Amino acid sequence: MYTFDNDISQLANWIEKEVAFPGNIASGKRGTAARRVQEWLCLHNHQVSIDADFGGVTKDAVQDFQSASRLPVTGVVDEATHNKFVAPMLRTLSPKIKKNMSYSDTVVAFAKAHLKEHPLEVGGANRGPWVRMYMKGNEGKPWAWCAGFTTFCMQQACEMLNLPMPIKGSFSCDSLAAQAKSAGLFLRERDATASTVPAGSLFLVRRTSTDWTHVGLVTKAEASSFQTLEGNTNDDGDREGYEVCARRRGYGKKDFVVF
């Protein structure tokens, strides 16, 4: 899918679109390139309207960003400015992770690397560069991204360790549950304990016996609760949140995929 050495030419095409420098972007530019500038400005706490129109407001925000980043203050998004924009995403693609760990420890380490960069939606529900990276370029209201985030971390771990995926992965929680059942890796709530849910397992929030609405990674299971890393959530644990969070959850209405 991609390599971990920041060699842009080796990235998957939908990720390359997010991180590759497209050429200078300046006042008067409209369309996708201008929108990406505005998204990254917002992600770096220089808030502007995301309207895909690089006007005076966007230019001023770029200048503020350049000044804060100790770059030449030109208002033009040149390669150095672009690289500062996308640096958090590149760090998640090439984190400093030991290569002699187990799969479980490695997938948790990758998820923690993402958490450190605080991936957020921007520009609307299920939108922005982080969502598109986790969802193979897709974004928008139908593209809830909790399963995409979880699958992405699993893929990173397996590629680093040169291992096959334990399950195929999916954008769908229901599909993840079906894959786990087929592989004999599905654990129902009644059988879930601190000893049967190892770190690196997935938790699935169950709505009915055949419908799951949210998924994330278990980082540590304890007697009454477990710690998680999960996407498309927030500190309140909403299934349609807006960021990657570390949380603590109870076992009620949860099933698991154990590796």
Side-chain angles (χ1 to χ4, degrees), residues 3 14 20 45 63 113 136 172 197 205 212 230 232:
T3 60
W14 77 89
N45 296 315
Q63 289 177 324
K136 293 188 177 180
S172 161
V197 181
V205 177
W212 294 266
E230 52 193 272
N232 200 21

Side-chain angles (χ1 to χ4, degrees), residues 37 41 54 58-66 75-77 81:
V37 167
L41 283 168
F54 196 134
T58 300
K59 179 180 179 180
D60 288 347
V62 169
Q63 289 177 324
D64 288 345
F65 174 80
Q66 289 170 327
V76 175
V77 179
T81 304

Side-chain angles (χ1 to χ4, degrees), residues 237-251:
D238 296 343
R239 63 176 289 263
E240 274 293 336
Y242 51 84
E243 62 184 332
V244 172
C245 276
R247 302 199 66 252
R248 182 181 288 275
R249 292 180 176 269
Y251 288 94

